[in-house]
Amino acid sequence: MSAFRFPPGFLFGAATSAYQVEGAWNEDGKGESIWDRLVHQHPDVINDQSSGDVACNSYHLYQEDIKILKDVGFHFYRFSLSWPRILPTGHANVVNEAGIHYYNNLINGLIANGIQPVVTMFHWDLPQPLQDLGGWTNPLLANYFEDYARVLFTNFGDRVKWWYTFNEPKSIALGYGMPLGFAPNIPTHGHGEYLVMHTVLLSHARAYRLYEREFKETQKGKMSIVALCNWIEPKTYSEEEEAAAERARQMHNGWILHPIYSTAGDYPPVMKEWVAKKSREKGYLRSRLPSFTKEEVEMVRGAWDFLAVNHYTTFFTYQGKEGVSIVPDCDVCMTQDDNYPVAASFWLQVVPWGLRKALNWIAKEYDSPPIMVAENGFSDHGGLNDTARIDFFINYLRELLKAIHDDHCHVIGYTVWSLMDNFEWISGYTDNFGLYHVDFNDPNRKRTAKKSARVFSEIIRSNEIPAEFLVNKSSL
């Protein structure tokens, strides 16, 4: 097989999320989410003081979305369901039939056009009434998430065969950690992150075990959590710095993956040891990292059918307490390397070989599970001739193919972030990730293909990186 050809049956898709594209924030019975509350009460936390009130208007223009997916030739569409659009109060005793109807139309339209729906249950837009109960710091949310999952499986599971429970649990935790502007923007650094992750992991397991117990035999779907797995590389090479970088990998990526995908379950041992030590040093009577019961360890461990990862960049690290830390209590700080270009998003440094290293680390740590790259993408400030985005994709896909062909990583698919420009959280509409330009000044939100959309269409059609795109595209 050519080094630039993808394996037979390899899947290509594009992704969005509900709050970022749907709009219709208060239409047809939809409830308020934590992002609705944040952008309305504190617009100053968004770079351009914008909101997702209308966004790409996909609630009304979903047929346009299906058309552009088909035009490119994508095999699947990864989108998220808005919990408050389906359950306006967050609880399963009040189901919004208009929300069910909308997603049924979207799912049926995708399938009619030969596109598989890949559904994310939760992509950050928690119903505000559940936040009023403490949000993800409240362990009872695991009950409410299981109830929500039952509604989803009952209404959509006959057609949806690919499920993601949570997108990027660490990003969810950021909303309760450092004051970065992520909803609900409650900075409880060193406490909130650990409580949130604990509830999210238990919620994921509860949903997985519910599906396994009551739905999987008839619906025959697959399920994963989506972990953000950027690579972590020591800035200087020594035994000590490599050990610190590995500690950061375990406390950053293993925080989510080790309880689910390792043979032992539970949090990574180094994380339990380190947080306990740092807690003692700060005068706490117990570790701030919650503990799983033996029964919970068993419930969470093995709650997977494949492994979905988002990957964007590589962080270069050094030991220290001053600077931007990867996670609380890690004593590892992150920086960038001036040898690599940076996208429009300040955090997104273009380091293609980091994807290969991340995939190999996952394969080694967790015995080579099937991996779906659930997000990978590049931001700019607009323009249809997006050559920098094309260079990004070609170089990252080359490293992906090295991981498949040379390293024998079991990668089953790749997902572009994003199908179209959208509301990019605290960046508003200033950073653009789309293969399609969206005119946010046009009431009709016209979608226009960028050059990168045409390039991806050719990659999917040929199932390889065509030679014309490899000229002068040496891996960075």
Side-chain angles (χ1 to χ4, degrees), residues 117-278:
V118 175
V119 173
T120 308
M121 299 181 191
F122 183 77
H123 200 128
W124 308 355
D125 49 348
L126 186 70
Q128 183 61 43
L130 296 186
Q131 182 57 45
D132 295 339
L133 297 176
W136 292 108
T137 63
N138 182 349
L140 286 177
L141 254 69
N143 294 345
Y144 306 146
F145 186 79
E146 182 180 6
D147 296 342
Y148 169 56
R150 182 183 295 277
V151 172
L152 304 188
F153 300 149
T154 300
N155 283 278
F156 310 124
D158 58 326
R159 287 150 293 150
V160 174
K161 306 305 174 186
W162 296 83
W163 293 100
Y164 298 149
T165 50
F166 290 87
N167 182 71
E168 294 185 9
K170 182 172 175 288
S171 297
I172 300 169
L174 282 176
Y176 302 78
M178 290 188 250
L180 299 176
F182 276 67
N185 200 28
I186 300 174
T188 53
H189 189 51
H191 295 270
E193 299 100 325
Y194 297 137
L195 298 175
V196 167
M197 186 66 72
H198 203 71
T199 303
V200 166
L201 289 169
L202 291 172
S203 300
H204 161 80
R206 292 277 290 271
Y208 183 88
R209 299 305 179 191
L210 168 67
Y211 189 76
E212 184 181 55
R213 188 171 62 246
E214 299 185 27
F215 296 93
K216 192 169 188 174
E217 184 177 350
T218 56
Q219 296 183 355
K220 303 186 185 309
K222 298 179 180 180
M223 191 176 301
S224 176
I225 202 166
V226 182
L228 178 62
C229 288
N230 292 320
W231 182 240
I232 295 168
E233 183 81 3
K235 189 166 178 62
T236 58
Y237 292 98
S238 70
E239 189 172 324
E240 286 186 353
E241 289 298 332
E242 172 55 34
E246 179 59 22
R247 181 171 74 246
R249 292 172 201 136
Q250 293 292 343
M251 294 179 71
H252 182 257
N253 300 333
W255 189 14
I256 301 99
L257 296 178
H258 196 278
I260 301 171
Y261 290 90
S262 72
T263 56
D266 207 343
Y267 293 115
V270 68
M271 185 171 195
K272 295 172 69 174
E273 174 190 349
W274 209 260
V275 178
K277 180 180 75 169
K278 300 297 289 186

Side-chain angles (χ1 to χ4, degrees), residues 311-316 335-343 345-352 377-378 392 396:
H311 179 91
Y312 286 92
T313 190
T314 289
F315 294 122
F316 296 89
T335 186
Q336 293 182 324
D337 187 321
D338 293 339
N339 292 315
Y340 300 93
V342 179
S345 304
F346 71 92
W347 52 268
L348 206 175
Q349 191 159 41
V350 182
V351 190
F378 177 87
F392 176 96
Y396 272 76

